[in-house]
Amino acid sequence: SQRVPPREDLHCRGDVLLTLCCLQEMGNIILDWDKIRERIFQSPGVNRTLFHITLDKCFLTLSALDCVDILSQVLRVSAVNYLQPDVIGSLPNILLEDAFRNLSTVFKDLYDKTSANTQRALYDWMNFYLYKTEFNESTSWVSAENLWILGRYMVHLPLEEILKISLSEIRLFISYDNATKQLDTVYDITPELAQAFLERINSSGFDMRNTSTIYRLGLLVCFYDGMEQMDAAVARALLHQMIKCNQLKGFQAEVQKLKSQLLNIAMQNQTLNDTLGSLSDAVVGLTSSQLESLSPEAVHNAIATLNQVSGWAKSQVMILSSKYLSYEKVLSFYNVSQMGSLVTGISTQSFYSMNPKELSQIIRGTTSQYLSDLSPAQQQGILRKIAASGDFSASVKDIQGAFFKEISLSGLWKQTGYNSSMMKEKELRRSQVKVIMQRLNVTFPLSTGQLVKGVTCQLIESMSTDVFLNNFKLFEMNLHLLSPYQVNCLAWKFWKVSNASIPPFLLLNGSVADEYDVDLLGNLICHLPPAFLRGRMSLKAMATALHQFKLCQQLSHKQKTEITYKLLELYGSPNNWTAETTLDIGPFIALLLLEENSCYLTFFPDCLGTRAPSSDEIIKLAEANVFWSVQELKCMDTGTFDKNVELLGSVSGFNGSQLIALKEKAKQVWGSLPDWKSYHIVSLGRIALALTEHEIEELDLHSIDTISVLSQQTEWTLTQARSILQGFLEDSGQTISTLKSFDLVGLGAILCALNSTEIMFIRTAEFSAAVARIGLLFCSTPVLRQFKKVTESVFGTAASWNGSILQEIGTIAGGLNESELKAFDKNLMPYFQPIAVRHIPPEIFQALSAEQIANLGPENAAMVTRSQREHLNASQLQSLQLALDGARTSAPEMQNGASTTQAMQTPAPSG
């Protein structure tokens, strides 16, 4: 597990890891690859070294076929980010045909794992070989066979080269069934290249309106041209093939425009009710008013098509579900099972009104795959009905995926008969894991990766070397599930058992200097703090690290910002980026759009003038729609607004004036506020924030599903939130004391508008079922204090709370008073959720002892606010720094060389 030095420093030492470095001294070599491969690739940096050695030495010593085999095996088990453009220049340019084909096949298999710049470099290498072997001044080197060899790399052909392809060769290429399979995978083709291929196919004699030809076009169909005098049957065939177009890596605006044109042709001389089932996924492009015009019978007859369509907006699903269920009259297991993805449009109250036995069947049936897509309120409605029926214990084992996370802690405590096999295919909250591991009396190896969330630092520390190393792969594969505190414990343990001179995450020189350091870090690179990324990561390492960063699932905004600055330093101004560089930078480019006063905003040229936004522009711009002026938004066509309202409502950067302009446009399109349906309100997204308290009073807010969507917005003023709360209570005919758990979950952030008296009227049983969701809210301290009192009626006094309860209640812990906080054992400090730490008032937070603060763990310590810091004394601040560093040194009150092994023995926290 030591870092392997760069290849020029290697010397043959006789061990199996360095076998390949001896190639220059051997005339031949026989590798027992199966026996040594696992040992080789367990060591960071070794596979990169083997890759470089193979390129440098192997092709000079062994047969090309043997070297291609070695190279392919190295690449297949590696992260593939060794294939940087400069390295590809070292690939041999003289190979026998078999070796070239084998290596090309490897590169084709690894296409999706490589960067756009690497893909381009590999195309150039393949092009050099194929051009050389097929060179003929009178014809193109791009034959049918070479197109097959290129595979997905055909998207890098220059436009002029495509237009020169022999018609006989293009006809030969398209004639074979394998061509369709290949064209189905060209996800990154551009409209210009696709249309050039279509032109050659058309010129070669294929009838482009023949259904058989259309089926052969693969993703080229997404850029189909020539719709003059097209009949409805051809349009429907094209729409059916265009289902796959959502796999394209861009150009969705163009695809949507084409689908819209084909939709109009497919509906010629027919009503929407008659054609609904034959329009494929183009139905997603229908407006709310078009869907509202459908008859319940038409939706019922088309359900087999509609239930397979993806990409529905929430408002569309609500309309279609309502139409379907109004035809069926009764909500049964059979009816729900026919709805597919449309099941998310069933109201929470409808689920709660179902027969509990039928609900249990839904959990077990094929519809269960969609249950994780339900809102928390809908999921809670199902769980509460089953729980009330007494059939809960039998149903728990069948609840899969993220849906399981909605089961309350008190609900789990009541269950019996747990076994390891039950936990497979379930996502778990950290508070749930603790209870389940106690019930299962868990030992290693763990039955499911989710259980690593509950592995305590005490358990990690107590493992023997063999047990730890045998299970290290499990930790590594599930690193994204671990909290920073657990990662810290693992790093110290790894350091101890591996006899390394320094923990891997601290590196050899306190920085990330090159690609070998990146290899050494592996997934731990996702946990590097922003300051480290800014000051200690070299540009050389950054080029390699980009691939690894793109795999990180939970990078913070600050981490992304620092990565973006590094990318700008590495690649220069976006104005000068190549298309490949833009693709490689991927998700981080979004940060450039919204950076205030950024000199890089010219990346999107100012070509809009004073025109009103079109649908095409709105789809293309996405978050960059923030750059429309208020006047331009006011001038938007009503049809454009109706078609794109959900996309506009998802733009996070609109200011208040822009939101007001869009709200007024909604009034213009949908009429007066009392006439708005639930699906209208739901489709607004952030635009709803522009509603005044008086406008909110005019809305129909009887449905908890409408409230559930409104509560997802976090920018409501207290007055607005209060109006929403009152509107829901009045329109639904409820009081605080009649609210069920799914109402509490659906209200979400709106609960922060409750006053102290109202909170005490919440029923304990309903609060208990919803407490984990309530613990995610960012309410004021007085509200959190009242929630804390209700929590004590569920779990007992604060003095009796354990780690699972602290994890379960989240921000509610911010309502603890000074004496309650001081009384907690230091070993419970990592169990405070990070969001709870920053909600503890500074004057309360200062009551923590230095020993308690030292045991917070890195993530919780990082959440301490400036105001909280200002209330700490020198000893407490020193302890806070220890916690931030993940140190194993002693806290101020634990001198005399005593190790803070106690910190390592605390259970792993949330995060």
Side-chain angles (χ1 to χ4, degrees), residues 227 229-242 257-283 286 290:
M227 287 174 284
Q229 299 182 336
M230 180 183 290
D231 63 45
V234 175
R236 287 194 289 271
L238 284 166
L239 286 172
H240 180 74
Q241 284 301 101
M242 288 184 73
K257 184 176 181 179
L258 176 57
K259 282 186 178 181
S260 180
Q261 293 170 334
L262 291 171
L263 192 61
N264 292 332
I265 296 172
M267 293 168 55
Q268 283 177 351
N269 303 321
Q270 298 183 77
T271 66
L272 184 56
N273 281 328
D274 294 332
T275 58
L276 184 63
S278 62
L279 299 179
S280 189
D281 71 343
V283 290
L286 296 173
Q290 286 176 304

Side-chain angles (χ1 to χ4, degrees), residues 357-427:
K357 291 191 182 300
E358 302 233 36
L359 280 175
S360 296
Q361 284 182 288
I362 289 173
I363 289 174
R364 299 185 183 99
T366 54
T367 309
S368 63
Q369 64 182 301
Y370 302 106
L371 296 183
S372 294
D373 298 326
L374 299 180
S375 72
Q378 290 170 310
Q379 293 175 339
Q380 187 63 220
I382 294 173
L383 292 174
R384 288 303 283 161
K385 187 57 176 278
I386 295 176
S389 71
D391 191 37
F392 195 57
S393 293
S395 301
V396 164
K397 66 178 184 298
D398 297 312
I399 298 175
Q400 302 297 329
F403 190 13
F404 193 87
K405 295 171 73 173
E406 295 302 318
I407 299 176
S408 67
L409 207 59
S410 54
L412 286 179
W413 280 339
K414 297 173 185 175
Q415 305 310 311
T416 58
Y418 286 102
N419 61 65
S420 297
S421 61
M422 283 173 54
M423 295 302 110
K424 293 179 179 177
E425 309 302 325
K426 291 175 171 44
E427 288 186 40

